[in-house]
Amino acid sequence: RPLTVDERRRWFVVTGAASGIGLAVATELSREGCNIVLVDRDAARLSNEISRLPRQSGAIVREVIGDVG
């Protein structure tokens, strides 16, 4: 189901955001216009993927370099 306006205004944290399932989730949340914090330990790859994300107006994307494991 599509996210409601209230749900899109929340912040979502996605770990492993530079590849695989994390990147897929980040892409969908970004497409929905959600505010997201993307976390990954590979700074170069994360920055590259962030630049490619589809962004709806008003969406805020932040990055955090680190290992949550």
Side-chain angles (χ1 to χ4, degrees):
R1 78 171 166 81
L3 296 173
T4 66
V5 172
D6 286 336
E7 289 172 328
R8 285 193 300 269
R9 288 183 181 161
R10 295 179 186 164
W11 280 87
F12 296 84
V13 177
V14 180
T15 60
S19 63
I21 294 170
L23 179 57
V25 169
T27 300
E28 286 303 310
L29 289 171
S30 182
R31 192 172 284 134
E32 288 281 335
C34 297
N35 298 321
I36 50 179
V37 177
L38 304 177
V39 182
D40 201 279
R41 59 185 177 186
D42 187 333
R45 182 184 257 179
L46 183 59
S47 291
N48 182 49
E49 294 302 338
I50 285 175
S51 70
R52 302 164 97 191
L53 287 176
R55 294 195 193 170
Q56 297 301 320
S57 90
I60 301 169
V61 177
R62 300 283 187 251
E63 67 181 279
V64 174
I65 308 306
D67 188 355
V68 179

